């Protein structure tokens, strides 16, 4: 007589069917230090303009703080491992570099759909209460994923997986079930400091600690105002996010692009966009180009601001007319970036 699979094994199998590359289980109280570390990070002001992190810290610091009934956490990961070199466009000043995770479909939509499907299946199969979360909720996915054995938080503060490198989107299901926990992930960074050395803006004051105020991903995505002068040259041609610390992780050699969810395959117009085209975007054009992309949430003005910084770094005088056309843009932050880019390109001659 064939023995019935455990509920944990059935959950993992269903998760794989829904496109998840990693699945693990942890007790709701299995990351007790995460809240303390979060509060210390916030007290140091390293979250910058991300006020929403401080506003809901009491919900974020532990699963029970958000939902007192939770007993177990199901940590889930979807791979977005790239097929090519994420740093390939570093020396092409005419094109903008978009972080790998944003070149395809919006992971919020893809993950939420799959999490809801898994949640519905589990509620029917086990008769439990549950809640599903991805990114926008006050959930500390990375410590919980480490506790559930999906990997460990590396020195770049993101999750590192032995199987998927640094290329996992994370989601979580909180449930009232008492699930058998997996063994927590063990730190395997060793003496490697490749991610620390790769950061163009020295955003890591120490290993395992990120100062978001210096991070290019933060500056190009979360930060609404003018990008501080001290970081503009270092941004290069990065117009949305930065992959440098992730891309150099040696554990990526085990990541397989074939394991990536097809929804995250890069769209041709986002894999290597020309700065000239992006500088010409108005609001309707921006919404059209970035429809279905996580980039849409930053809006046209921030994207054009980023592209102007990249244009100023390009050394390509052919971009000067497009830059000058933005000197009278309605948005002051755009005008500021246009003046900086114009001065840089004027110096090129």
């Amino acid at each position: 007589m064939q023995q019935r699979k455990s509920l944990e094994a059935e959950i993992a199998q269903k998760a794989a069917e829904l496109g998840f590359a990693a699945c693990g289980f942890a007790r709701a109280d299995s990351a007790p230090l995460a809240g303390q570390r979060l509060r210390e990070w916030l007290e140091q002001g390293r979250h910058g303009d991300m006020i929403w992190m401080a506003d809901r810290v009491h919900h974020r610091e532990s699963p029970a703080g958000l939902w007192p009934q939770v007993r177990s956490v199901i940590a889930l990961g979807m791979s977005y491992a790239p097929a090519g070199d994420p740093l390939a466009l570093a020396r092409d000043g005419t094109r903008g570099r978009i972080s790998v995770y944003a070149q395809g479909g919006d992971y919020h939509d893809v993950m939420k759909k799959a999490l809801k499907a898994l949640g519905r299946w589990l509620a029917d199969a086990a008769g439990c209460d549950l809640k599903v979360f991805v990114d926008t909720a006050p959930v500390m996915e990375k410590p919980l994923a480490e506790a559930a054995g999906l990997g460990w938080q590396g020195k770049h503060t993101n999750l590192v997986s032995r199987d998927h490198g640094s290329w996992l989107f994370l989601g979580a299901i909180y449930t009232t079930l008492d699930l058998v926990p997996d063994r927590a992930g063990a730190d395997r960074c060793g003496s490697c400091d490749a991610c620390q050395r790769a950061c163009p803006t020295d955003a890591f004051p120490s290993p395992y600690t990120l100062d978001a105020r210096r991070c290019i991903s933060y500056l190009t995505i979360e930060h609404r105002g003018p990008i501080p002068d001290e970081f503009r040259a270092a941004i290069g041609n990065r117009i949305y996010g930065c992959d440098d610390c992730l891309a150099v992780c040696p554990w990526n050699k085990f990541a397989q692009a074939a394991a990536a969810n097809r929804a995250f395959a890069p769209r041709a117009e986002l894999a290597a966009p020309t700065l000239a085209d992006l500088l010409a975007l108005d609001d309707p054009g921006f919404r059209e180009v970035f429809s279905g992309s996580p980039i849409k949430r930053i809006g046209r003005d921030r994207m054009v601001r980023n592209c102007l910084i990249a244009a100023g770094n390009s050394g390509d005088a052919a971009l000067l007319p497009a830059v000058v056309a933005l000197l009278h843009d309605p948005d002051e932050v755009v005008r500021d970036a246009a003046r900086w880019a114009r001065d840089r390109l004027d110096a090129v001659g």
Side-chain angles (χ1 to χ4, degrees):
M1 182 176 178
Q2 187 174 10
Q3 187 175 4
R4 188 175 185 270
K5 289 183 179 179
S6 68
L7 179 58
E8 292 79 11
E10 291 181 358
I11 293 170
Q13 179 179 326
K14 186 65 177 179
E17 292 171 3
L18 291 167
F20 291 103
C23 175
F25 308 93
R27 289 175 50 87
D29 60 358
S30 59
L33 298 179
Q36 175 187 332
R37 291 168 179 163
L38 173 62
R39 288 186 177 275
E40 291 173 354
W41 186 72
L42 291 168
E43 289 169 2
Q44 294 164 344
R46 289 175 173 166
H47 59 303
D49 296 337
M50 295 184 289
I51 305 303
W52 42 269
M53 295 197 73
D55 287 344
R56 299 193 65 183
V57 64
H58 58 294
H59 288 150
R60 190 178 299 275
E61 60 186 348
S62 72
L66 180 60
W67 188 37
Q69 290 75 29
V70 62
R71 302 294 296 274
S72 300
V73 174
I74 306 171
L76 296 140
M78 275 190 181
S79 171
Y80 65 101
D85 179 6
L87 308 181
L89 294 178
R91 299 186 182 278
D92 188 345
T94 66
R95 297 184 181 274
R97 292 166 62 189
I98 291 175
S99 185
V100 169
Y101 86 85
Q103 293 180 20
D106 191 335
Y107 70 96
H108 299 91
D109 300 334
V110 177
M111 291 276 286
K112 182 60 72 72
K113 182 179 179 180
L115 285 166
K116 285 183 174 180
L118 181 58
R120 286 192 296 267
W121 171 86
L122 181 58
D124 290 341
C128 62
D129 291 330
L130 54 84
K131 296 182 183 294
V132 304
F133 304 103
V134 56
D135 193 29
T136 54
V139 171
M140 297 188 72
E141 295 97 339
K142 290 181 284 188
L144 291 172
E146 179 177 295
L150 268 60
W152 68 96
Q153 278 192 263
K155 292 178 181 178
H156 53 26
T157 75
N158 288 287
L159 194 81
V160 183
S161 162
R162 296 182 69 176
D163 298 319
H164 307 288
S166 293
W167 311 113
L168 281 180
F169 290 127
L170 299 176
I173 296 179
Y174 289 4
T175 176
T176 53
L177 292 170
D178 282 309
L179 297 170
V180 178
D182 287 301
R183 180 178 296 178
D187 188 335
R188 297 179 182 275
C189 288
S191 61
C192 178
D193 64 350
C195 60
Q196 313 288 285
R197 291 183 284 109
C199 181
T201 51
D202 295 323
F204 300 106
S206 61
Y208 308 101
T209 304
L210 173 71
D211 188 338
R213 297 167 298 183
R214 302 185 64 89
C215 174
I216 292 175
S217 287
Y218 165 82
L219 292 167
T220 57
I221 299 173
E222 303 294 345
H223 182 61
R224 295 177 180 273
I227 292 175
D229 287 350
E230 65 179 302
F231 303 125
R232 294 185 180 188
I235 284 175
N237 62 341
R238 302 170 186 83
I239 60 171
Y240 187 91
C242 178
D243 289 319
D244 291 37
C245 68
L246 303 179
V248 300
C249 178
W251 285 97
N252 290 337
K253 65 185 177 183
F254 298 109
Q256 299 293 323
N261 191 299
R262 286 179 293 178
F264 307 132
R267 289 160 44 180
E269 68 273 23
L270 301 185
T274 62
L275 291 176
D277 289 342
L278 295 177
L279 289 170
L281 289 176
D282 56 12
D283 282 323
F286 172 84
R287 289 194 294 271
E288 180 179 354
V289 171
F290 296 106
S291 175
S293 163
I295 298 172
K296 65 182 181 296
R297 77 180 182 90
I298 71 169
R300 175 263 179 189
D301 293 345
R302 252 184 284 179
M303 173 53 73
V304 173
R305 173 203 66 183
N306 298 343
C307 292
L308 283 164
I309 299 301
N313 289 326
S314 70
D316 183 6
L319 291 173
L320 192 55
V323 169
V324 170
L326 292 164
L327 290 172
H328 303 289
D329 191 85
D331 185 79
E332 168 54 30
V333 174
V334 171
R335 296 197 300 271
D336 168 77
R339 290 190 291 268
W340 183 84
R342 176 201 58 192
D343 293 345
R344 295 267 291 188
L345 293 177
D346 277 343
V348 172

